[in-house]
């Protein structure tokens, strides 16, 4: 899907053939074996990956995903999207992604620590604060980043907080990092509602598929800061629906202790598929990729599709959305860029040993998102592109120009 998007965008801007493959294919793909000792004394072997797509504009940047279905192809696609995203929002990074094929929920805390440290140990020859900077993603969190930072620091011989981002605050993490992606989604949703759809956020209804870090923070920000009515939420076990509005803080508290939304008494049960076709002002897919299929795209009843997940809309489904003038789309590489922007802020703070308060972080985040939004809209108006194609061409063009400017060595 990422390759097809690249080819379409490259054709749209007449990207020279001489630079296409260099801008498209990853710089480096790493696969590692990760043996760990289980608590019962047995040895288990897991597969780990890291793909560095581009290093032309600075160190590569991207999350570490722990998921049982993770494969090298998925990691490579996510790394490609990260390159476009970083270029689009003006960060001095290339894209990277990594992870382990594992169901982390089946590991004990000590087993999870062993696996996290072993993964980092295997990557040490290929990463560094000026080479590749991992961050949390699906299935990982601040504690895992803390273990990874400690592993690297012990190998180097001194504390290196800038080797990872998304760390606990006590280890050099940034204020606002945990909420950054969701807060960024909410900020862009409110901008598009007011400026493009001419709808007051307080009059909007919102359905969110996915209630992890991104989905829950987006729901909180939309309800608290924008006054929007969240009418549906879901996780991997199913969803809940209340047309009068869901008490988001209460749902979050319930989910934190029950590890599911199932059984929440403030709404009716609903399936993930049913949630996607609900009538609403804003639909936010915030779970996994490829959930908006051609069939789903034809049945959407939202006015704004805000892609908080990576690659939630398939290539074929996107062609259907382009024909629907009743739906505006905020593409993923813009919509969920808040996380990597604040990761960049954390990296800057670590290197300067100077830390900012939460209000400063969020103000800088929203300024950078607004700048990227305006660039996308200018590109869209100039070439009459879809919003997704406008965002992708901006990102790809900037990566390609950097590679051309640096030339070839040797």
């Amino acid at each position: 899907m990422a390759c097809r998007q690249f080819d379409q965008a490259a054709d749209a801007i007449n990207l020279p053939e001489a630079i296409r493959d260099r801008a498209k294919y990853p710089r480096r793909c790493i696969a590692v074996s990760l043996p760990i000792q289980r608590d019962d004394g047995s040895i288990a072997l897991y597969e780990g990956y890291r793909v560095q797509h581009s290093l032309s504009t600075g160190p590569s940047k991207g999350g570490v995903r722990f998921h049982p279905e993770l494969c090298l192809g998925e990691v490579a696609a996510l790394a490609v999207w990260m390159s476009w995203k970083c270029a689009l929002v003006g960060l001095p990074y290339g894209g990277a992604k990594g992870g382990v094929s594992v169901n982390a929920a089946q590991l004990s805390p000590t087993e999870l620590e062993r696996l996290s440290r072993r993964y980092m140990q295997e990557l040490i020859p290929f990463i560094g604060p000026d080479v590749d900077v991992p961050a949390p993603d699906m299935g990982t969190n601040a504690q895992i980043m803390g273990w990874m930072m400690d592993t690297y620091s012990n190998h180097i011989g001194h504390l290196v907080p800038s080797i990872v981002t998304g760390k606990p605050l006590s280890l050099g993490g940034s204020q606002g990092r945990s909420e950054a992606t969701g807060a960024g989604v909410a900020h862009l949703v409110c901008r598009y509602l007011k400026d493009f759809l001419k709808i007051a956020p307080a009059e909007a209804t919102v359905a969110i598929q996915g209630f992890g870090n991104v989905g829950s923070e987006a729901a909180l920000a939309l309800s608290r800061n924008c006054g929007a009515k969240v009418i549906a939420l879901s996780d991997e076990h199913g969803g809940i629906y209340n047309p009068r509005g869901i008490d988001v803080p209460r749902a979050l508290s319930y989910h934190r202790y029950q590890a599911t939304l199932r059984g929440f008494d403030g709404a009716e049960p609903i399936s993930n598929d049913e949630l996607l076709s609900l009538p609403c002002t804003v639909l936010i897919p915030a779970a996994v990729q490829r959930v908006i299929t051609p069939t789903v795209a034809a049945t959407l009843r939202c006015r704004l599709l805000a892609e908080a997940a990576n690659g939630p809309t398939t290539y074929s489904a996107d062609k259907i959305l382009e024909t629907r003038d009743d739906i505006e789309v905020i593409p993923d590489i813009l919509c969920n860029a808040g996380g990597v922007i604040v990761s960049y802020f954390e990296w800057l703070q670590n290197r300067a040993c100077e830390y900012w308060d939460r209000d400063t972080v969020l103000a800088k985040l929203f300024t950078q998102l607004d700048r990227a939004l305006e660039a996308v809209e200018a590109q869209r108006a100039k070439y009459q592109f879809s919003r997704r194609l406008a965002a992708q061409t901006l990102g790809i063009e900037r990566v390609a120009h950097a590679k051309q400017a640096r030339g070839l060595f040797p």
Side-chain angles (χ1 to χ4, degrees), residues 78-144:
L78 293 166
V80 170
W81 286 329
M82 278 298 300
S83 279
W84 304 349
K85 185 186 303 182
C86 291
L88 173 64
V89 297
L91 303 183
Y93 287 145
K97 209 74 174 185
V100 180
S101 180
V102 61
N103 186 346
Q106 295 178 353
L107 300 180
S108 71
T110 54
E111 291 168 342
L112 184 60
E113 180 177 356
R114 293 183 198 120
L115 181 63
S116 303
R117 289 182 179 276
R118 185 59 185 252
Y119 176 76
M120 173 55 81
Q121 182 67 37
E122 293 293 335
L123 289 184
I124 284 174
F126 308 102
I127 65 171
D130 295 305
V131 181
D132 183 11
V133 184
D137 196 270
M138 186 185 301
T140 58
N141 55 30
Q143 177 59 75
I144 289 174

Side-chain angles (χ1 to χ4, degrees), residues 180-199:
T181 308
V185 170
H187 175 77
L188 290 171
V189 165
C190 290
R191 279 289 314 270
Y192 274 101
L193 285 173
K194 290 185 291 187
D195 297 348
F196 295 89
L197 294 175
K198 307 303 179 185
I199 298 173

Side-chain angles (χ1 to χ4, degrees), residues 344-387:
Y344 168 63
F345 295 162
E346 181 176 331
W347 181 75
L348 285 179
Q349 293 170 82
N350 290 158
R351 294 172 76 85
C353 295
E354 179 181 341
Y355 292 88
W356 312 335
D357 60 37
R358 176 180 174 275
D359 289 344
T360 299
V361 169
L362 293 181
K364 288 177 177 286
L365 165 64
F366 298 152
T367 297
Q368 198 133 354
L369 285 174
D370 286 340
R371 191 178 300 126
L373 181 156
E374 288 157 9
V376 169
E377 294 305 320
Q379 182 88 335
R380 181 174 176 235
K382 181 178 180 179
Y383 295 105
Q384 298 302 301
F385 288 162
S386 69
R387 193 170 283 113

Side-chain angles (χ1 to χ4, degrees), residues 15-16 19 22-23 27 53-58 83 86-87 91-95 393-409:
L15 195 67
I19 196 64
R22 290 182 62 201
R27 168 75 176 271
H53 177 257
S54 174
L55 296 168
S56 295
T57 55
S83 279
C86 291
L91 303 183
Y93 287 145
T393 52
L394 278 173
I396 290 169
E397 197 169 36
R398 290 170 181 176
V399 172
H401 283 173
K403 289 184 177 294
Q404 284 180 312
R406 291 190 59 167
L408 283 173
F409 177 84

Side-chain angles (χ1 to χ4, degrees), residues 205-207 231 275-276 278-283 301-304:
T205 56
V206 181
I231 62 170
L275 181 146
L276 293 174
L278 283 174
C280 58
T281 314
V282 183
L283 175 64
R301 292 190 284 173
C302 61
R303 290 287 290 112
L304 180 65

Side-chain angles (χ1 to χ4, degrees), residues 211 233-235 237-240 251-252 254-255 259-264:
F211 203 57
L233 298 167
S234 73
D235 58 24
H237 305 292
I240 54 176
L252 185 60
Y254 181 89
H255 188 269
T260 180
L261 289 168
R262 185 183 297 163
F264 181 72

Side-chain angles (χ1 to χ4, degrees), residues 142-263:
Q143 177 59 75
I144 289 174
M145 293 302 107
W147 291 329
M148 290 185 177
M149 185 207 72
D150 180 70
T151 302
Y152 184 88
S153 296
N154 273 287
H155 178 84
I156 298 299
H158 59 84
L159 182 66
V160 188
S162 57
I163 182 56
V164 298
T165 58
K167 306 177 294 294
L169 290 174
S170 60
L171 297 179
S174 176
Q175 294 282 351
R177 175 59 186 87
S178 63
E179 67 202 84
T181 308
V185 170
H187 175 77
L188 290 171
V189 165
C190 290
R191 279 289 314 270
Y192 274 101
L193 285 173
K194 290 185 291 187
D195 297 348
F196 295 89
L197 294 175
K198 307 303 179 185
I199 298 173
E203 298 174 359
T205 56
V206 181
I208 303 176
Q209 185 200 47
F211 203 57
N213 172 263
V214 177
S216 61
E217 292 291 351
L220 278 172
L222 283 166
S223 60
R224 285 179 175 174
N225 303 337
C226 303
K229 184 190 297 183
V230 177
I231 62 170
L233 298 167
S234 73
D235 58 24
E236 59 186 330
H237 305 292
I240 54 176
Y241 170 64
N242 185 341
R244 296 181 300 277
I246 295 170
D247 185 334
V248 175
R250 186 164 163 262
L252 185 60
S253 178
Y254 181 89
H255 188 269
R256 184 178 295 118
Y257 290 103
Q258 300 296 328
T260 180
L261 289 168
R262 185 183 297 163

